[in-house]
Amino acid sequence: MTASLVEPQPEVQIVQVDILGTDLLAIVVRCLATTRLGAHFHCVNRDGRAVDLTLAEIQRYAGVTVTEVDPPCAARLVLTGTGASELHLQPRDVLQGINPIA
């Protein structure tokens, strides 16, 4: 059997959103596909402006940080990016992005 050379693309479903600052956003998610630290997510705010987010921290449990999370686990993700607080993310929204090369 041959291992796949294609990197998994991060995909998470939002459970809860907390704005931590202008460029900082924390979300509690259910992981739908392997998501790694440094993943990039491209979003659009209500005004149609692009907001690029980078995954800066993954907390599997309170105080327990990890470098990746796999389905079907839940985690708290901290995302950074200019305009992060302008996004109107809602529970059940799905974010898809690009994982960094391992």
Side-chain angles (χ1 to χ4, degrees):
M1 181 179 278
T2 314
S4 172
L5 298 178
V6 177
E7 290 290 323
Q9 297 307 307
E11 185 174 15
V12 295
Q13 183 178 41
I14 296 173
V15 174
Q16 178 182 328
V17 179
D18 297 315
I19 296 173
L20 301 177
T22 303
D23 298 336
L24 203 56
L25 182 68
I27 55 177
V28 176
V29 300
R30 182 172 65 93
C31 184
L32 303 175
T34 300
T35 301
R36 290 197 305 263
L37 199 60
H40 294 280
F41 298 92
H42 180 77
C43 302
V44 178
N45 69 13
R46 286 187 180 173
D47 297 330
R49 285 182 282 177
V51 177
D52 291 315
L53 302 173
T54 300
L55 179 52
E57 181 179 294
I58 303 171
Q59 283 191 3
R60 187 69 181 89
Y61 304 102
V64 178
T65 58
V66 295
T67 58
E68 73 178 37
V69 63
D70 294 313
C73 297
R76 180 179 185 264
L77 309 181
V78 176
L79 303 161
T80 63
T82 302
S85 62
E86 297 173 13
L87 295 172
H88 295 281
L89 301 173
Q90 301 292 319
R92 292 202 212 125
D93 286 351
V94 174
L95 295 180
Q96 297 175 318
I98 299 171
N99 273 323
I101 297 173

